[in-house]
Amino acid sequence: MAVAEFSLDEILGQESAKTYLYSFLKDRSKIPGSLIFHGPPGVGKWAAAERFSRQLLCLIGTSCGVCEACRLFSKRQNPDYIQFPRNKNIPIGTEKDPDEFTIRWLLQTRIPYKPHVGEFRIVLFPEANRIGNEAETTLLKTLEEPPPHTKFILITNDIRSLKPTIVSRSIAVPFEYLSQNTIKNLRREDMGSVKEYFGGSMNPFEIDDSNLEEWHSYVKENCHDAIHLFKLENWIRDQLAHIRTQKNKLSGIDFLDMIALLLLYEYRTTDFEKHIKKIDAILDFKSKLHSEIPALEYVLLSQLFLRLAN
């Protein structure tokens, strides 16, 4: 049976999450006010959120693609679909005339009013962990008692990065790592090779294959020798500095996360038992990398390579 264009059926390998979402769409009156899509990067959370959103906003309720709501959605012009930007922290905003895409802007100029086109409005936070502390606190009341016409979707790689008070006011929709067979099916159309070092994700950071191969080659060449590790650390610092001067989708933290995946892959596949301490060091590095403490990543990088060299 053919899969409908831009439908949840296109999301492969996430049967548990789709069970939640299809059950919500079956009876729109029972859709929770706030949903948290959580799970590893690169496994389809955002793609599912977009498809769920279009079907909910669709005037027919099927993601038909032809009604006014669907046509505006496809053009990124549906006023009832508010998507906060990626790679940008979300502040509370000023009390008077708050800037666009701040929490006070949302609560003062969007939430109080009825949707423009259809029955519902959707507010999507692609990186909910970027909502600031004050902003989270201000948002709590609305998440607890949202107007019936507004639904929130918060996407995060780690549900623990959100305040427990937000999690308790939401329904969590779990996403899982993809099997290698699912990844091969997803990549079949563009004939791309499956990158095993993503560990069950597609391309979690949307990095060009040429860059990935270059980075993997450099990591592989230098991570297995104590002397070369010093060279690798300096190379990572140079790359990090360069990335931060560029205006692109990849952040410095994402770059370091990708390097950690490459290191894990090399140590895991060459001699796992021999490299257990190194793997523990990398996992510890990854767990602390997203703390959002200024310049912490440089300290963590030094600590990581000290442990890798021993």
Side-chain angles (χ1 to χ4, degrees):
M1 185 173 67
V3 174
E5 182 183 355
F6 211 80
S7 74
L8 282 171
D9 289 334
E10 294 177 313
I11 306 300
L12 301 181
Q14 299 295 350
E15 299 312 311
S16 177
K18 288 196 294 184
T19 298
Y20 277 86
L21 300 179
Y22 278 128
S23 67
F24 296 150
L25 290 168
K26 191 174 294 185
D27 186 350
R28 294 180 170 201
S29 67
K30 295 182 179 178
I31 297 176
S34 176
L35 298 170
I36 299 175
F37 288 18
H38 68 98
V43 297
K45 298 189 297 296
W46 194 354
E50 289 186 312
R51 284 155 177 77
F52 176 78
S53 297
R54 193 175 92 167
Q55 186 162 346
L56 180 58
L57 295 176
C58 174
L59 301 181
I60 301 173
T62 61
S63 193
C64 67
V66 296
C67 71
E68 182 184 6
C70 285
R71 286 188 286 105
L72 288 171
F73 188 97
S74 298
K75 296 176 182 178
R76 302 286 180 183
Q77 296 175 356
N78 191 320
D80 299 331
Y81 179 68
I82 302 170
Q83 178 183 298
F84 275 69
R86 295 176 70 189
N87 299 321
K88 186 177 180 181
N89 292 334
I90 301 169
I92 183 174
T94 57
E95 290 191 20
K96 185 177 180 181
D97 297 326
D99 290 338
E100 190 177 29
F101 294 117
T102 61
I103 295 303
R104 280 181 172 148
W105 165 82
L106 176 70
L107 299 183
Q108 292 178 19
T109 69
R110 296 297 185 271
I111 300 302
Y113 305 104
K114 291 183 178 180
H116 294 270
V117 181
E119 182 182 356
F120 293 101
R121 171 188 296 114
I122 289 184
V123 180
L124 175 66
F125 294 99
E127 295 173 315
N129 56 293
R130 288 184 173 272
I131 304 173
N133 286 332
E134 278 190 300
E136 270 190 311
T137 302
T138 303
L139 186 61
L140 278 176
K141 177 66 175 177
T142 303
L143 290 180
E144 188 172 21
E145 299 177 2
H149 55 61
T150 296
K151 308 300 177 183
F152 291 86
I153 299 177
L154 294 83
I155 299 178
T156 181
N157 296 337
D158 185 356
I159 198 168
R160 295 170 299 180
S161 67
L162 302 179
K163 285 185 175 181
T165 44
I166 281 188
V167 176
S168 68
R169 287 160 171 76
S170 309
I171 296 297
V173 180
F175 285 74
E176 303 168 348
Y177 280 115
L178 304 174
S179 69
Q180 289 300 312
N181 284 337
T182 299
I183 294 175
K184 287 175 183 177
N185 289 335
L186 288 167
R187 296 295 295 265
R188 189 171 293 156
E189 289 187 5
D190 62 11
M191 300 303 289
S193 59
V194 177
K195 304 294 190 297
E196 293 186 2
Y197 44 70
F198 286 143
S201 298
M202 286 292 286
N203 187 334
F205 309 114
E206 302 179 18
I207 304 167
D208 291 340
D209 279 356
S210 59
N211 285 337
L212 281 172
E213 292 304 319
E214 178 187 340
W215 297 350
H216 186 200
S217 177
Y218 202 89
V219 168
K220 182 177 182 179
E221 181 182 338
N222 293 285
C223 74
H224 296 290
D225 180 277
I227 296 176
H228 287 180
L229 278 171
F230 178 72
K231 176 182 176 183
L232 177 59
E233 181 183 357
N234 286 334
W235 174 83
I236 291 172
R237 289 178 180 275
D238 288 343
Q239 293 294 316
L240 181 59
H242 175 70
I243 285 169
R244 287 187 160 162
T245 64
Q246 307 299 306
K247 292 183 178 179
N248 52 38
K249 292 183 291 186
L250 184 68
S251 70
I253 298 298
D254 286 346
F255 167 70
L256 292 176
D257 228 337
M258 186 67 241
I259 293 299
L261 286 178
L262 295 174
L263 286 167
L264 280 173
Y265 176 77
E266 284 301 313
Y267 291 134
R268 177 173 57 84
T269 56
T270 51
D271 189 337
F272 179 82
E273 294 297 329
K274 177 184 176 182
H275 295 130
I276 284 179
K277 289 185 177 180
K278 288 183 171 64
I279 290 170
D280 284 343
I282 298 165
L283 293 175
D284 189 38
F285 171 79
K286 281 176 63 65
S287 70
K288 297 175 180 175
L289 191 57
H290 295 270
S291 301
E292 296 195 6
I293 298 175
L296 177 64
E297 61 270 27
Y298 294 100
V299 176
L300 294 175
L301 200 57
S302 297
Q303 292 174 346
L304 171 63
F305 275 86
L306 183 63
R307 292 174 68 180
L308 293 180
N310 292 330

